[in-house]
């Protein structure tokens, strides 16, 4: 699977002939200045929750690409009310078979409000299972035993885990999450964007390496295959 990182918790995965974009927050992110947002044309945009640092560029990218939104009921209702009606709503524990594979909206321990302060439903993450393999994106969350249920679903090619601490789990808990998930290849997200979530890259990579895991910390715009 080809992965492109766009900074913060935004990345895309090319799988089963489709491009899935997660949590677009690019234009307000000074670290992602080099990314050309107008060139991002996904087939689907998956939203873990309603916070602005996960949805800031949804409208722009959805309009330029015609992408279908996937998210929890309240997040989708909010965007639908703004005219983005090409959308599919889910809720915690539910799964649905799309043309690229099966998506499960997994539980996350966090909060969720929309940019205007309205209720954003239950925050979550995504387990994506395709003919080319499965991957998991934690969304913003604390470390939770619920992640062990993701491991039950089978082997993951990679997991995108938040690890910036303060608002979500930090590196140490993300290492534990990787162990519970039984996953070797980890894409780090939700770090460095704001002062309280700046991390020591080398120390973080070392912490994963000690447990036999590979932590990928990409620069915005970078591509890798996992
Ligand atoms: Ni959040
Ligand atoms: Mn966040």
């Amino acid at each position: 699977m080809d992965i492109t990182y766009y900074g913060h918790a935004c990345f895309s995965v090319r799988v089963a002939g489709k491009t899935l974009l997660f949590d677009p927050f690019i234009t307000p992110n000074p670290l992602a200045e080099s990314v050309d947002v107008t060139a991002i044309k996904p087939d689907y945009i998956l939203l873990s929750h309603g916070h602005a640092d996960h949805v800031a560029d949804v409208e722009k990218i959805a309009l330029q690409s015609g992408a279908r939104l996937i998210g929890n009921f309240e997040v989708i209702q909010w965007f639908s009310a703004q005219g983005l009606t090409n959308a599919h709503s889910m809720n915690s524990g539910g799964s649905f078979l799309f043309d690229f594979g099966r998506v499960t909206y997994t539980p996350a321990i966090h909060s969720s409000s929309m940019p205007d302060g309205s209720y954003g439903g239950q925050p979550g993450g995504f387990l994506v299972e395709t003919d080319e393999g499965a991957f998991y994106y934690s969304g913003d969350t604390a470390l939770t035993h619920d992640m062990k249920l993701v491991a039950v679903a089978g082997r993951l090619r990679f997991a995108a885990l938040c690890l910036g601490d303060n608002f979500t789990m930090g590196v140490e808990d993300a290492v534990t999450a990787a162990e519970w998930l039984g996953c070797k290849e980890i894409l780090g997200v939700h770090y460095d964007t704001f002062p309280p979530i700046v991390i020591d890259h080398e120390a973080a990579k070392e912490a994963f390496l000690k447990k036999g895991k590979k932590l990928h910390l990409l620069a915005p715009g970078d591509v890798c295959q996992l």
Side-chain angles (χ1 to χ4, degrees), residues 69-217:
L69 305 186
I70 301 174
N72 79 28
F73 182 77
E74 287 79 6
V75 166
I76 293 305
Q77 217 176 24
W78 194 81
F79 280 110
S80 294
Q82 297 183 18
L84 300 181
T85 53
N86 181 15
H88 182 100
S89 66
M90 305 184 70
N91 217 327
S92 306
S95 68
F96 186 81
L97 186 60
F98 292 88
D99 57 359
F100 58 87
R102 180 166 292 277
V103 173
T104 304
Y105 189 63
T106 59
I109 298 183
H110 193 64
S111 59
S112 178
S113 48
M114 305 310 301
D116 64 2
S118 60
Y119 178 57
Q122 286 287 345
F126 296 99
L127 170 63
V128 179
E129 297 168 283
T130 78
D131 289 343
E132 297 172 17
F135 66 93
Y136 167 66
Y137 166 44
S138 65
D140 283 9
T141 184
L143 176 66
T144 159
H145 279 109
D146 285 338
M147 290 167 182
K148 292 181 177 178
L149 299 175
V150 173
V152 169
R155 228 177 83 81
L156 300 170
R157 295 259 302 246
F158 76 95
L161 301 177
C162 55
L163 43 65
D165 219 338
N166 193 73
F167 299 115
T168 68
M169 59 185 174
V171 169
E172 199 180 321
D173 284 350
V175 170
T176 303
E179 290 188 286
W180 288 353
L181 292 163
C183 186
K184 267 183 123 80
E185 302 283 345
I186 304 300
L187 176 70
V189 300
H190 215 276
Y191 64 93
D192 284 1
T193 320
F194 315 112
I197 64 171
V198 170
I199 66 164
D200 179 332
H201 290 210
E202 289 318 307
K205 287 178 185 172
E206 186 59 33
F208 278 86
L209 204 58
K210 270 189 191 144
K211 301 290 182 181
K213 316 281 183 203
K214 166 101 174 141
L215 175 63
H216 302 263
L217 297 177

Side-chain angles (χ1 to χ4, degrees), residues 49 51 53-54 110 140:
H49 62 299
H51 288 159
D53 63 318
H54 298 258
H110 193 64
D140 283 9

